Amino acid sequence: MYGGCFGAYTQWAVVFLIIFVLFFLLVPAYNNAY
């Protein structure tokens, strides 16, 4: 595990990246549904 604030920053960066990718993939699918 990483140590200090850098580990927490890396964990939040990964979580934010996953959310951004899911949002980027769901928006075109949501627009195509209509």
Side-chain angles (χ1 to χ4, degrees):
M1 189 77 187
Y2 297 98
C5 296
F6 185 77
Y9 178 78
T10 302
Q11 185 178 1
W12 276 107
V14 172
V15 173
F16 183 79
L17 181 63
I18 294 172
I19 294 173
F20 182 77
V21 170
L22 290 176
F23 181 78
F24 186 77
L25 291 175
L26 287 175
V27 167
Y30 184 79
N31 289 331
N32 289 332
Y34 289 98

